[in-house]
């Protein structure tokens, strides 16, 4: 059949002409996974870093590791390539799906292997669960610090932490099961950077229920985290600036001394990483032509959705003196025998 590009130039660019885009996003997944492992390792192996705030960071890292692995799996399988032959192909079949202007959009006689389709849904489910979990645990961190520092409420903060387990694991599980039961997860040409995700429901020919599901299952939690995190972080930062540390309890004071500059980085980093996907979402809601979405947004969205573990590692490992010192000591002890052996040989 003859390939008809029309509005699919955006997809052709991603699948055929720019394969290195997947490589760039893949590298961000690997970096995020490595960064998450560094944070997880620091919590498990360094007893003096097992604070409650670090416990939340541990769960964020576990979620980020899951996101990285799920997205990297999608890139490795290359679902775009698997579905490419079924879109915009003219073979004269009367069952072909056409657009309003008569352009053939999908060759319904084309069948993607069942194993590929099932693996696509499974990959989307894991990615969905870990992504929502990462967002909610990221929200839990400033909420915990707000109760701990502003309200001097160690007990309140610990109660909030325990409730976070139910919220940050239960809600992603519920949403994922909901999406699976409603067959909302699968391949979407324009919804990701190579992996499977929520199927395309952002077009004007879909009903309000589709848009409602899309917002309630993902975008609501992103926007909510944007707003709540910014408000709580600014409130906590101002409280630390205008209150003397000697009014704090010992546990709170130690947290204040180490958290101040990193606290402001939480909403900034989250916004810079997640905003591109939300801009893409808004454009999908406003535009009928998917080709109107800039290619750069697909790239930035793919990098942002897969890089939180790497950014957190920079903030809480590389830029944290005590953690960095522990890793340097481990490196010295690890490579010291090789150094001595090399010296003796010479």
């Amino acid at each position: 059949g003859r390939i008809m590009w029309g509005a699919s130039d955006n997809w052709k660019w991603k699948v055929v002409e720019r394969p290195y885009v997947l490589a760039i996003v893949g590298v961000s997944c690997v970096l995020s996974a490595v960064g998450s492992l560094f944070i997880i390792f620091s919590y498990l192996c360094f007893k003096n870093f097992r604070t409650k705030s670090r416990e939340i960071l541990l769960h964020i890292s576990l979620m980020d590791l899951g996101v990285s692995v799920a997205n990297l799996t999608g890139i490795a399988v290359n679902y775009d390539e698997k579905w490419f032959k079924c879109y915009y192909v003219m073979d004269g079949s009367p069952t072909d799906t056409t657009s309003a202007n008569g352009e053939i959009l999908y060759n319904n006689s084309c069948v993607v292997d069942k194993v590929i389709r099932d693996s696509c849904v499974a990959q989307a489910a894991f990615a969905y669960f870990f992504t929502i979990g990462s967002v909610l645990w990221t929200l839990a961190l400033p909420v915990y610090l707000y109760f701990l520092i502003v309200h001097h409420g160690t007990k309140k903060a610990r109660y909030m932490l325990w409730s976070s387990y139910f919220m940050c694991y239960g809600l992603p599980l519920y949403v994922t099961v909901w999406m699976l039961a409603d067959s909302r997860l699968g391949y979407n040409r324009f919804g990701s950077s190579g992996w499977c995700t929520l199927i395309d429901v952002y077009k004007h020919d879909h009903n309000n229920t589709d848009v409602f599901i899309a917002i309630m299952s993902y975008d609501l939690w992103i926007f909510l985290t944007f707003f709540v995190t910014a408000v709580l972080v600014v409130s906590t930062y101002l409280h630390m600036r205008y209150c003397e540390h000697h009014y704090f309890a010992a546990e709170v004071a130690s947290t204040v001394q180490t958290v101040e500059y990193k606290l402001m980085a939480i909403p900034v980093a989250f916004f810079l990483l997640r905003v591109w996907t939300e801009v893409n979402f808004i454009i999908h809601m406003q535009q009928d032509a998917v080709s109107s979405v800039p290619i750069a947004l697909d790239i930035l969205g793919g990098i942002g959705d897969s890089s939180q573990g790497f950014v957190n590692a920079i903030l809480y490992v590389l830029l944290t003196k005590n953690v960095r010192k522990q890793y340097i000591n481990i490196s010295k002890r690890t490579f010291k025998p090789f150094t001595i052996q090399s010296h003796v040989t010479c």
Side-chain angles (χ1 to χ4, degrees):
R2 178 170 62 87
I3 296 178
M4 187 172 181
W5 294 117
S8 68
D9 289 337
N10 191 9
W11 195 35
K12 176 188 177 184
W13 185 92
K14 182 171 65 173
V15 178
V16 179
E17 298 180 357
R18 307 291 174 141
Y20 62 80
V21 172
L22 297 182
I24 294 174
V25 178
V27 169
S28 70
C29 291
V30 173
L31 291 176
S32 181
V34 172
S36 299
L37 289 173
F38 268 100
I39 295 176
I40 294 170
F41 181 81
S42 66
Y43 182 86
L44 297 178
C45 298
F46 307 146
K47 293 183 178 180
N48 53 325
F49 296 136
R50 294 178 187 174
T51 62
K52 294 300 180 182
S53 57
R54 283 270 170 178
E55 182 178 338
I56 296 177
L57 187 60
L58 169 69
H59 292 285
I60 296 176
S61 300
L62 289 172
M63 292 295 179
D64 290 338
L65 180 61
V67 172
S68 301
V69 173
N71 290 348
L72 190 61
T73 301
I75 293 174
V77 176
N78 197 356
Y79 290 107
D80 284 328
E81 185 180 40
K82 299 295 187 288
W83 262 269
F84 181 74
K85 60 182 179 179
C86 294
Y87 282 90
Y88 296 89
V89 178
M90 280 186 175
D91 65 353
S93 172
T95 62
D96 287 340
T97 302
T98 60
S99 63
N101 61 5
E103 180 185 17
I104 295 180
L105 299 181
Y106 186 76
N107 178 7
N108 289 318
S109 63
C110 178
V111 178
V112 178
D113 185 76
K114 186 178 184 300
V115 175
I116 297 297
R117 286 186 281 114
D118 291 343
S119 67
C120 175
V121 174
Q123 182 265 312
F126 280 106
Y128 222 69
F129 171 81
F130 287 118
T131 299
I132 299 176
S134 175
V135 170
L136 293 178
W137 275 111
T138 301
L139 175 60
L141 182 57
V143 172
Y144 171 80
L145 294 175
Y146 176 81
F147 279 109
L148 181 66
I149 296 174
V150 176
H151 290 282
H152 309 279
T154 304
K155 292 183 178 180
K156 292 181 179 179
R158 289 179 177 177
Y159 176 78
M160 172 269 155
L161 178 58
W162 283 110
S163 64
S164 295
Y165 280 89
F166 174 78
M167 182 71 176
C168 298
Y169 283 107
L171 183 60
L173 181 60
Y174 171 78
V175 172
T176 302
V177 172
W178 174 27
M179 294 296 100
L180 285 172
D182 206 27
S183 300
R184 296 286 176 177
L185 299 178
Y187 179 70
N188 181 357
R189 290 173 293 163
F190 307 103
S192 69
S193 296
W195 48 79
C196 295
T197 180
L198 188 70
I199 60 176
D200 190 8
V201 295
Y202 304 137
K203 297 180 180 178
H204 293 292
D205 57 350
H206 285 76
N207 56 43
N208 293 331
T209 302
D210 290 326
V211 177
F212 173 79
I213 290 175
I215 294 175
M216 290 299 296
S217 63
Y218 179 75
D219 297 284
L220 172 66
W221 311 110
I222 296 291
F223 288 121
L224 182 65
T225 302
F226 279 157
F227 176 76
V228 175
T229 300
V231 171
L232 292 181
V233 164
V234 171
S235 299
T236 306
Y237 182 80
L238 292 177
H239 182 82
M240 290 189 301
R241 278 294 182 182
Y242 292 101
C243 291
E244 295 294 336
H245 290 178
H246 62 261
Y247 287 116
F248 296 142
E251 180 180 349
V252 178
S254 63
T255 302
V256 170
Q257 293 172 0
T258 58
V259 80
E260 190 168 328
Y261 77 95
K262 294 171 193 169
L263 190 62
M264 297 305 297
I266 294 174
V268 175
F270 185 84
F271 178 81
L272 292 177
L273 290 175
R274 302 290 182 178
V275 68
W276 314 110
T277 300
E278 298 313 307
V279 172
N280 208 335
F281 162 76
I282 294 173
I283 293 177
H284 272 299
M285 292 288 290
Q286 298 296 326
Q287 302 285 344
D288 283 323
V290 182
S291 59
S292 63
V293 178
I295 294 296
L297 283 181
D298 283 335
I299 301 174
L300 291 173
I303 295 175
D305 288 347
S306 306
S307 300
Q308 186 167 340
F310 177 64
V311 174
N312 288 343
I314 293 177
L315 289 174
Y316 298 103
V317 176
L318 186 62
L319 297 181
T320 302
K321 182 178 179 180
N322 292 334
V323 179
R324 185 176 67 248
K325 185 177 179 180
Q326 290 282 4
Y327 276 111
I328 291 175
N329 292 336
I330 290 177
S331 299
K332 288 181 179 179
R333 290 197 301 267
T334 302
F335 293 103
K336 185 176 181 180
F338 297 99
T339 306
I340 296 176
Q341 182 179 1
S342 176
H343 178 73
V344 171
T345 302
C346 293

